[in-house]
């Protein structure tokens, strides 16, 4: 634990950040490297030492220590998914420089912030639900109450994923920092909305899995149960929501504050859509003060006209090309019996990277 304090982000930054984020960064980057902590996260004192959590989250942690490994796992899959979805974009969800890089972009209510919130709260709901179904948590299990004949003629049975505990856990844990900040700021409303949209992306993409019973697989009787979609699917759905996100502003309706589309021409967003308050920067130039890495050095695709193409990725600065040799196995032949013999082929590929 000796390196623990120095790894922590400063408190002021933590307060600045919306916490689901510092949570995911903290837990995944720190806990992942400390296998020894896995056992001790089961005691209450550990919760207090987890800097980056709000008081409310520390209390939830203490009441549900057994779920904290799932929270950590949820944070990890969220970051993995974010980096996968954004690998070919100027902002690539990089957490290399820890909290600063991820953080600043996220503190301004951009689309990127919306995505990160949604995917983080979905990640936590997903990982907790999975743990419930596997019987790893005492307070929840899988859903065996879905019974009877379905309209499609199959029999419900078995262990369905019960999302209600995982979703409720994500609501209380991930939303807790927002709620404690009060419901008056647009940023809080935005975060809460996007957190919920993330969880909805799981709920509205539940799948049915079935097993056949009957003589030699005749499938006379089918029993089915509900499972969550793979997390990749959740990421794909949220990335689409990112592309179609709605710019919103706050308005008072009666005594309540709500977010409404900024332009009357936009169709109103639904509970499943992502919303944001400020347009994103272009992410072109290195700007450490705002946590922007810039695209210099990024690989780009010479022939693509999309955002991964050299023109857009490099923001018009141009690119360098180097030729590198790639060695691959090729002309493989099967030899009786039983080996595969290959030649080594060398070919030269061009790698382009932004100036
Ligand atoms: C699903 O979980 C919720 C919350 O833990 C619980 O109240 C409910 O009974 C569970 N449903 C089933 C069918 O097990
Ligand atoms: C993201 O981009 C930065 C430079 O802008 C680069 O250093 C980093 O390796 C990239 N991260 C990933 C996961 O591709
Ligand atoms: C580059 O972009 C083109 C056109 O979009 C695509 O067909 C090709 O597969 C891309 N190359 C790489 C290496 O991603």
């Amino acid at each position: 634990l000796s390196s623990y304090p120095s790894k922590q982000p400063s408190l002021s930054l933590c307060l600045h950040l919306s916490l689901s984020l510092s949570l995911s960064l903290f837990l995944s980057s720190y806990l992942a490297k400390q296998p020894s902590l896995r056992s001790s996260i089961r005691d209450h004192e550990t919760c207090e030492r987890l800097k980056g959590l709000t008081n409310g989250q520390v209390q939830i942690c203490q009441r549900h220590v057994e779920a904290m490994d799932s929270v950590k796992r949820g944070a990890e899959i969220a970051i993995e998914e974010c980096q996968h979805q954004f690998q070919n974009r100027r902002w690539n969800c990089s957490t290399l420089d820890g909290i600063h890089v991820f953080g600043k972009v996220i503190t301004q209510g951009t689309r990127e912030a919306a995505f990160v919130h949604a995917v983080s709260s979905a990640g936590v709901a997903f990982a907790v639900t999975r743990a419930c179904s596997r019987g790893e948590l005492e307070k929840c299990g899988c859903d065996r109450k879905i019974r009877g004949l379905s309209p499609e003629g199959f029999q419900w049975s078995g262990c369905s994923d019960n999302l209600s505990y995982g979703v409720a856990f994500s609501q209380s844990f991930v939303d807790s920092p927002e709620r404690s900040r009060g419901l008056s700021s647009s940023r809080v409303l935005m975060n809460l909305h996007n957190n919920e949209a993330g969880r909805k992306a799981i709920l509205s993409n539940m799948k049915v899995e079935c097993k056949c019973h009957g003589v030699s697989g005749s499938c006379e009787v089918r029993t089915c149960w509900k499972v969550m979609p793979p997390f990749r699917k959740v990421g794909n759905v949220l990335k689409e929501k990112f592309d179609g996100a709605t710019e919103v502003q706050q308005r008072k309706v009666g005594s309540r504050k709500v977010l409404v589309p900024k332009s009357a021409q936009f169709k109103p967003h639904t509970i499943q859509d992502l919303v944001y308050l400020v347009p994103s920067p272009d992410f072109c130039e290195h700007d450490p003060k705002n946590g922007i890495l810039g695209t210099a050095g990024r690989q780009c695709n010479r022939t693509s006209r999309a955002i991964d193409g050299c023109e857009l990725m490099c923001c018009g600065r141009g690119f360098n090309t180097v030729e590198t040799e790639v060695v691959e196995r090729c002309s493989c032949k099967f030899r009786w019996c039983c080996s595969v013999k290959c030649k080594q082929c060398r070919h030269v590929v061009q790698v382009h990277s932004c100036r």
Side-chain angles (χ1 to χ4, degrees):
L1 277 175
S2 53
S3 65
Y4 186 84
S6 64
K7 284 250 165 75
Q8 293 310 306
S10 72
L11 186 61
S12 63
L13 191 58
C14 280
L15 291 176
H16 230 90
L17 274 173
S18 37
L19 268 277
S20 64
L21 204 43
S22 63
L23 158 81
S24 37
L25 280 167
F26 164 73
L27 286 170
S28 56
S29 64
Y30 177 65
L31 290 186
K33 288 189 211 127
Q34 305 278 328
S36 61
L37 210 68
R38 279 185 71 88
S39 45
S40 57
I41 201 167
R42 297 185 183 283
D43 74 59
H44 289 200
E45 277 167 36
T46 319
C47 294
E48 279 164 30
R49 291 209 306 266
L50 296 178
K51 300 232 177 69
L53 302 192
T54 60
N55 289 340
Q57 284 177 321
V58 169
Q59 283 169 20
I60 300 170
C61 174
Q62 288 172 335
R63 269 184 275 125
H64 303 272
V65 260
E66 85 284 354
M68 292 309 284
D69 278 343
S70 303
V71 173
K72 175 194 151 207
R73 181 77 200 115
E76 286 166 356
I77 58 174
I79 289 183
E80 260 171 53
E81 192 52 36
C82 182
Q83 294 193 336
H84 170 80
Q85 296 291 341
F86 286 81
Q87 57 189 341
N88 293 324
R89 295 186 59 97
R90 287 180 185 160
W91 182 77
N92 63 1
C93 199
S94 181
T95 58
L96 286 185
D97 187 26
I99 210 147
H100 292 273
V101 174
F102 218 12
K104 268 293 184 70
V105 174
I106 301 303
T107 54
Q108 309 148 353
T110 57
R111 267 173 206 265
E112 285 76 15
F115 182 87
V116 167
H117 274 269
V119 81
S120 304
S121 69
V124 170
F126 186 93
V128 171
T129 302
R130 177 140 291 174
C132 291
S133 291
R134 290 184 176 158
E136 290 167 7
L137 303 180
E138 235 170 68
K139 292 175 179 131
C140 61
C142 61
D143 191 340
R144 295 184 182 279
K145 280 186 210 145
I146 311 182
R147 289 276 164 207
L149 209 59
S150 81
E152 293 86 3
F154 58 73
Q155 196 74 32
W156 286 110
S157 99
C159 175
S160 287
D161 282 331
N162 181 359
L163 268 170
S164 45
Y165 185 84
V167 164
F169 190 90
S170 171
Q171 273 165 349
S172 76
F173 193 85
V174 180
D175 292 0
S176 151
E178 311 296 342
R179 297 199 188 284
S180 66
R181 282 158 72 191
L183 286 174
S184 53
S185 94
S186 337
R187 199 46 218 288
V188 167
L189 292 175
M190 168 184 154
N191 293 349
L192 287 173
H193 176 95
N194 293 322
N195 288 351
E196 192 59 29
R199 293 180 286 257
K200 284 284 185 290
I202 308 178
L203 275 164
S204 52
N205 288 283
M206 293 295 282
K207 296 192 309 174
V208 175
E209 272 183 4
C210 298
K211 204 157 105 184
C212 282
H213 311 266
V215 201
S216 58
S218 64
C219 216
E220 268 159 53
V221 181
R222 260 194 326 156
T223 55
C224 304
W225 57 94
K226 285 189 186 168
V227 293
M228 291 184 292
F231 202 68
R232 173 58 33 89
K233 168 78 183 172
V234 177
N236 291 344
V237 168
L238 291 176
K239 176 62 173 29
E240 270 173 38
K241 300 290 183 194
F242 169 90
D243 292 331
T246 307
E247 187 172 357
V248 292
Q249 62 189 7
Q250 198 183 64
R251 181 179 306 152
K252 236 176 150 178
V253 173
S255 62
R256 263 167 31 103
K257 290 179 172 148
V258 293
L259 297 176
V260 296
K262 198 158 179 191
S263 156
Q265 288 163 2
F266 299 157
K267 75 173 168 36
H269 54 275
T270 70
I271 190 166
Q272 317 221 12
D273 294 323
L274 297 187
V275 300
Y276 66 97
L277 295 162
V278 295
S280 303
D282 61 19
F283 298 111
C284 281
E285 306 301 328
H286 186 61
D287 177 7
K289 227 179 81 217
N290 288 308
I292 296 172
L293 289 173
T295 63
R298 287 286 299 278
Q299 279 191 16
C300 59
N301 181 333
R302 191 175 184 163
T303 52
S304 168
R305 300 253 136 247
I307 191 69
D308 64 334
C310 293
E311 195 55 40
L312 287 177
M313 179 65 83
C314 307
C315 309
R317 294 185 308 259
F319 55 93
N320 298 321
T321 303
V322 289
E323 301 202 324
T324 49
E325 197 178 54
V326 189
V327 181
E328 277 178 349
R329 280 150 46 100
C330 61
S331 316
C332 295
K333 287 209 177 73
F334 180 74
R335 286 248 195 116
W336 190 264
C337 181
C338 292
S339 66
V340 176
K341 256 263 177 349
C342 296
K343 286 191 190 148
Q344 283 204 330
C345 292
R346 294 162 185 277
H347 55 110
V348 173
V349 293
Q350 293 192 326
V351 176
H352 312 289
S353 52
C354 295
R355 289 203 180 113

